Amino acid sequence: MTTRMTRQRAAVAEALDQQDEFRSAQQLHEVLRARGDSVGLATVYRTLQTFADAQEVDQLRNADGEVLYRRCERVEHHHHLVCRSCRRTVEIDGPTVEAWAAKVGAAHDFTDIDHTIELWGTCADCRG
Amino acid sequence: MTTRMTRQRAAVAEALDQQDEFRSAQQLHEVLRARGDSVGLATVYRTLQTFADAQEVDQLRNADGEVLYRRCERVEHHHHLVCRSCRRTVEIDGPTVEAWAAKVGAAHDFTDIDHTIELWGTCADCRG
DNA sequence: CGATTCATGAGAACGATTCTCACGCTTGGT
DNA sequence: ACCAAGCGTGAGAATCGTTCTCATGAATCG
Ligand SMILES: [Mn+2]
Ligand SMILES: [Mn+2]
Ligand SMILES: [Zn+2]
Ligand SMILES: [Zn+2]
């Protein structure tokens, strides 16, 4: 239950903070390696999962099914608009869809409604 | 580019039609095997992908990252409310979120907006 | 300064999906 | 119907992201 502070966790947290875009565990592992902060791949996976469980990082899947992680600005629940090519991310606050999702779930007598809402597009920079 | 009619394709299509819930390629493969319509697993995967490309089946990923397929009633774009435990599915028409997604994308100067919107919950039957 | 116990990491294992490629069947023309 | 052309098939190998194993290392706390 405890969460010991280790060099590895600090390194992963720092690498995450340096990223603006969503990154995969393997990408972050590479970032760490390049920085000289050697951390085992298994540890990167474990640490990211720990952070995600603690709601300290957001995670989503790209079209290929890879899990991507990002430390967002806002800590409250939100969604993302992600560039398909560079992964530039905009944090989206969607009260409209929150209400919609809850209403639809209730209307069909489903409980514990959870929603997956992510927007993908091509950002201005990647459009040339 | 052609699409030859084979016993395997007919079998996969038929197995899909018998399902009310979202199913994985492996589950459908098992359904086929149980029916006596033996179809290779690779063929099941290929056929489902072909159907998906042709917009004849919808696909989504569950929390574990597995891809699930379903032949829906409505052929037009829509979303789903899926039971986490039995996968019972309700097809959702969401003009509200369609507009929201488009607006958000445009507001941030992203083009070719695509959205992933799926609702998960526990259906009445699975709640006991 | 120990003792305790969680954390780490190299490599094996996993599991869904894709790839390979020789063989067979659908198809379109004759 | 007959045939040639080439798409479709399937068993097994290969991929690849992710998780597991387990011996070793390090953080924590009295
Ligand atoms: Mn939301
Ligand atoms: Mn939609
Ligand atoms: Zn971009
Ligand atoms: Zn259910």
Side-chain angles (χ1 to χ4, degrees):
Chain A
M1 265 289 68
T2 27
T3 300
R4 293 186 181 175
M5 181 50 59
T6 63
R7 172 184 67 77
Q8 290 86 344
R9 271 180 201 176
V12 171
E14 195 174 329
L16 265 174
D17 287 336
Q18 292 184 327
Q19 310 301 312
D20 278 342
E21 297 81 27
F22 270 92
R23 301 293 186 200
S24 69
Q26 311 222 23
Q27 283 181 316
L28 287 166
H29 178 247
E30 177 55 28
V31 166
L32 289 164
R33 201 190 58 69
R35 297 190 356 165
D37 285 327
S38 176
V39 178
L41 181 57
T43 298
V44 173
Y45 273 105
R46 266 186 308 236
T47 303
L48 288 173
Q49 193 53 60
T50 299
F51 286 169
D53 290 345
Q55 318 236 23
E56 289 169 27
V57 301
D58 285 355
Q59 57 185 165
L60 55 81
R61 283 176 193 279
N62 64 13
D64 294 330
E66 280 179 301
V67 179
L68 306 179
Y69 304 84
R70 180 175 189 266
R71 172 105 72 183
C72 287
E73 296 293 327
R74 73 186 72 176
V75 79
E76 315 87 53
H77 169 82
H78 60 274
H79 300 275
H80 311 92
L81 167 57
V82 186
C83 174
R84 261 182 297 263
S85 85
C86 74
R87 290 183 182 170
R88 180 181 150 203
T89 301
V90 178
E91 297 176 27
I92 303 295
D93 188 9
T96 303
V97 289
E98 299 303 319
W100 171 81
K103 194 182 70 176
V104 168
H108 294 281
D109 200 18
F110 275 58
T111 53
D112 305 308
I113 301 295
D114 194 5
H115 53 269
T116 300
I117 299 180
E118 305 296 348
L119 307 184
W120 295 86
T122 304
C123 79
D125 290 350
C126 290
R127 201 180 317 146
Chain B
M1 267 288 73
T2 29
T3 300
R4 293 188 181 173
M5 180 52 59
T6 64
R7 172 183 68 77
Q8 291 85 345
R9 273 182 198 172
V12 171
E14 194 173 330
L16 265 173
D17 286 338
Q18 292 185 326
Q19 310 301 312
D20 278 341
E21 297 81 27
F22 270 94
R23 300 294 185 200
S24 68
Q26 312 224 23
Q27 283 181 315
L28 287 166
H29 179 247
E30 177 54 29
V31 166
L32 289 163
R33 200 190 58 68
R35 297 192 353 167
D37 285 326
S38 175
V39 178
L41 181 57
T43 297
V44 174
Y45 272 104
R46 267 185 308 236
T47 303
L48 288 172
Q49 193 54 61
T50 299
F51 286 170
D53 290 346
Q55 318 235 24
E56 290 169 24
V57 302
D58 284 357
Q59 58 185 162
L60 55 80
R61 281 176 194 281
N62 65 12
D64 294 329
E66 280 178 302
V67 178
L68 306 180
Y69 304 84
R70 179 174 191 267
R71 172 107 72 185
C72 287
E73 296 292 327
R74 74 185 72 176
V75 78
E76 315 86 54
H77 168 82
H78 60 274
H79 300 275
H80 311 92
L81 167 57
V82 186
C83 174
R84 261 183 297 262
S85 84
C86 73
R87 290 183 181 170
R88 180 181 150 201
T89 301
V90 178
E91 296 176 27
I92 302 295
D93 188 8
T96 303
V97 288
E98 299 302 319
W100 171 81
K103 194 182 71 177
V104 168
H108 294 282
D109 200 17
F110 275 57
T111 54
D112 305 308
I113 301 297
D114 194 6
H115 54 269
T116 299
I117 300 180
E118 304 298 348
L119 307 185
W120 295 86
T122 304
C123 79
D125 290 349
C126 290
R127 190 176 329 139

